[in-house]
Amino acid sequence: MKIPVLPISWADAAPVLRALDGPVVPAEWRGALPFTYHAGPGPAVAHLKLSFEWQLVPVYDIIARMEGSELPDQWIIRGNHHDAWTHGAKDPVSGTIPVLEEARVTAELAKTGWHPRRTLVFCAWGGEEQGLLGSTEWVETHARDLDEKAVVYINSDTNARGFFEVGGSHALESFINQVARDVPDLQTPVSILERERARRVVAGQKAAGSGNLPIRALGSGSDYSPFFQHSGISALSMGFDGETSWGEYHTAYDTWENYTRFHDPGFAYGEALVRTAGRTVLRLSEANLLPFDFRATSRVISQYTKEVITLADHSRSTTEKENGLIASGMHQLAADPTKPFVAPKPKDGVPHLNFAPLENARDRLEHAAKAYGTVLDAWQSAEKSLDIALSKELNRTLYRAERALMREQGLPRRPWYRHVIYAPGFYTGYGVKTLPGVREAIEQRNWKEAEAFIQVTADRIDAFSKEIDRATDMLTTP
Ligand SMILES: [Zn+2]
């Protein structure tokens, strides 16, 4: 079934809603307008006359490059979109100005004779709001180059007062914690990392003593998607948030006046983002050994595996309970006898799925990630450095490792999304689903597809572990 949808403002919606009759809607469907919300139908008949502009307009991507002096074929890519629904002060400009400022500062550095070791690519995307058009076209057009050369993509869509917020590839979790540890929060006397830790502790979340703070998994909603979930390029999405409201998001009120009065007066957090993303880009570009550490990836894949097993078990026990209740006839007895009653239908039982391939792949990954972590720790404490030939080959293996988690044919019913660990949910829009092929099949009670994707996901994780093993071998030999 396809129902046409047209977003309209509350002022246009009010007379239509007010004219509806029929049952009062459930509480969670109600808005805040001062009348009772009914579900319809009628009695009023509405005639809608819609007009659309269908002309084709160009979308512009602005790309600036600074060639790397030693490793020009390894690219650090930094960007955000420049298009907006209306004025766009917060979305996207507050996240794009820092990109421009970082590019300006980098150019100033270059005037002193400094050159980045790796190539830097600064991007401002067009057509994001209509479906990530500019970034997607660019990534698809340069697919072969990017597959070979892209090290990391860093996005920052919207920024405001508050706490450091970051999501992305967990192989970069440890690295981004190190960056955040070195950036002062400009309105409190601690680093942006310690400020975020305090927020989590106060909110009752786990915040691991003085260790790394876990980063979140990315769903979608901005230009990291074509890099990350389509191409397997490790990505980070970062910004500050949490002390201002989102009420004007995507509306005509997202203005300069509103932004500078409420969201970031004096641009303290605009500056904090420049300092954070700027360090991220420069540390990646200058690193002798790229700061990938797969122990966090292994930790979250274990956690996601546990979650999908629990999800299947839970589905089995609730199905048994519900079917028992239906068979007992209690629903009918508990219903109001003066009202029509439709008995719920029993569901098919939930079979025991074979999670063994996924659990074995998880264990092999844990082993591989630990082994690399051990040689990495030793290498770091010895303060060694790699010669240029090994540096090229080892770093290439590290940044291309995440490509192994791509399934060529993509996810069921949406082949463009190829990452088997992270995807936006089929039904959740921006919201993330981890181990999406397995998790969504269980949620949709598609047991055959769940079993098939347990194997598919396990195979990709095994391929990923092999890449990590290769890196371990290279870092052990020198
Ligand atoms: Zn945006």
Side-chain angles (χ1 to χ4, degrees):
M1 182 166 60
K2 285 187 176 170
I3 302 172
V5 172
L6 180 72
I8 56 176
S9 70
W10 71 268
D12 292 330
V16 179
L17 291 173
R18 215 192 281 269
L20 289 176
D21 205 346
V24 173
V25 301
E28 62 270 25
W29 295 11
R30 287 171 212 164
L33 297 175
F35 47 75
T36 307
Y37 285 69
H38 292 270
V45 176
H47 296 275
L48 296 183
K49 191 178 164 202
L50 310 177
S51 63
F52 297 91
E53 282 184 28
W54 288 112
Q55 86 265 31
L56 290 175
V57 295
V59 160
Y60 295 101
D61 289 338
I62 298 101
I63 311 289
R65 287 166 48 101
M66 188 178 283
E67 193 81 354
S69 56
E70 270 178 51
L71 299 162
D73 287 339
Q74 298 188 359
W75 299 357
I76 314 298
I77 310 169
R78 169 79 174 107
N80 189 37
H81 66 108
H82 63 75
D83 65 302
W85 280 127
T86 60
H87 309 295
K90 185 179 183 193
D91 179 11
V93 175
S94 64
T96 310
I97 293 296
V99 179
L100 297 183
E101 176 65 1
E102 291 156 43
R104 188 191 67 78
V105 170
T106 309
E108 287 297 319
L109 265 176
K111 283 182 201 161
T112 69
W114 171 89
H115 284 288
R117 295 186 68 218
R118 295 186 173 80
T119 294
L120 308 181
V121 186
F122 291 94
C123 317
W125 311 113
E128 190 264 4
E129 300 290 7
Q130 286 79 13
L132 318 179
L133 301 180
S135 55
T136 298
E137 288 301 321
W138 193 80
V139 168
E140 290 180 354
T141 303
H142 301 286
R144 213 182 286 172
D145 258 347
L146 289 168
D147 181 53
E148 179 54 37
K149 299 170 183 169
V151 174
V152 173
Y153 174 70
I154 302 140
N155 198 71
S156 60
D157 195 352
T158 79
N159 190 54
R161 290 175 52 229
F163 304 89
F164 182 51
E165 227 276 302
V166 56
S169 300
H170 285 87
L172 297 168
E173 180 179 284
S174 168
F175 165 61
I176 200 63
N177 268 266
Q178 290 165 25
V179 170
R181 200 165 285 147
D182 292 341
V183 179
D185 180 272
L186 297 175
Q187 296 190 334
T188 64
V190 293
S191 69
I192 60 169
L193 185 75
E194 292 316 310
R195 183 126 207 274
E196 169 59 11
R197 188 189 312 281
R199 185 194 69 77
R200 293 190 195 190
V201 170
V202 169
Q205 297 174 11
K206 269 195 238 163
S210 60
N212 286 341
L213 292 180
I215 66 172
R216 71 188 167 86
L218 287 181
S220 191
S222 198
D223 295 298
Y224 51 77
S225 269
F227 291 92
F228 186 43
Q229 290 133 346
H230 179 64
S231 313
I233 296 163
S234 299
L236 290 168
S237 172
M238 61 174 70
F240 292 83
D241 190 19
E243 284 174 334
T244 67
S245 85
W246 279 77
E248 74 296 303
Y249 175 60
H250 285 177
T251 77
Y253 300 99
D254 185 6
T255 59
W256 163 264
E257 288 76 14
N258 182 63
Y259 188 83
T260 51
R261 275 180 72 185
F262 301 109
H263 284 291
D264 191 15
F267 302 115
Y269 286 89
E271 186 182 334
L273 182 53
V274 171
R275 291 178 181 224
T276 314
R279 275 176 169 80
T280 305
V281 167
L282 290 183
R283 287 188 191 183
L284 286 169
S285 97
E286 301 312 294
N288 184 237
L289 177 63
L290 285 168
F292 286 85
D293 184 342
F294 305 98
R295 285 173 284 196
T297 318
S298 159
R299 185 198 77 229
V300 293
I301 287 178
S302 290
Q303 177 199 322
Y304 304 154
T305 301
K306 208 186 278 174
E307 285 169 13
V308 291
I309 294 172
T310 309
L311 183 67
D313 286 343
H314 185 251
S315 175
R316 186 174 314 105
S317 59
T318 49
T319 301
E320 277 165 21
K321 209 163 128 193
E322 280 167 17
N323 285 354
L325 201 58
I326 292 166
S328 74
M330 295 281 198
H331 282 291
Q332 176 108 48
L333 289 175
D336 182 340
T338 67
K339 289 189 177 146
F341 171 75
V342 181
K345 290 199 178 68
K347 289 176 182 159
D348 289 343
V350 179
H352 285 273
L353 301 173
N354 179 18
F355 285 102
L358 188 55
E359 293 176 289
N360 287 322
R362 171 204 63 197
D363 289 357
R364 284 188 287 263
L365 172 61
E366 194 182 322
H367 191 81
K370 260 197 194 141
Y372 182 74
T374 306
V375 294
L376 174 67
D377 291 345
W379 187 86
Q380 275 170 341
S381 58
E383 294 183 23
K384 288 197 240 176
S385 89
L386 307 168
D387 68 58
I388 187 78
L390 181 62
S391 157
K392 260 187 203 162
E393 192 47 29
L394 172 54
N395 284 314
R396 181 178 177 277
T397 304
L398 289 171
Y399 72 76
R400 293 192 76 260
E402 188 143 357
R403 316 277 202 273
L405 293 167
M406 299 293 107
R407 180 187 188 232
E408 190 64 41
Q409 309 92 308
L411 296 175
R413 293 165 292 284
R414 42 188 185 143
W416 190 82
Y417 289 96
R418 298 195 289 211
H419 207 304
V420 301
I421 309 299
Y422 316 95
F426 192 82
Y427 296 103
T428 57
Y430 290 179
V432 66
K433 291 281 176 180
T434 50
L435 304 183
V438 180
R439 192 184 297 266
E440 293 194 320
I442 295 171
E443 287 171 351
Q444 300 304 314
R445 308 177 74 83
N446 187 341
W447 315 120
K448 249 176 93 179
E449 192 172 289
E451 288 231 306
F453 259 82
I454 288 170
Q455 188 64 56
V456 165
T457 307
D459 290 346
R460 297 328 313 151
I461 294 172
D462 278 341
F464 179 56
S465 300
K466 283 207 185 91
E467 293 304 310
I468 299 171
D469 288 340
R470 274 181 3 101
T472 308
D473 286 346
M474 279 188 250
L475 195 56
T476 315
T477 354

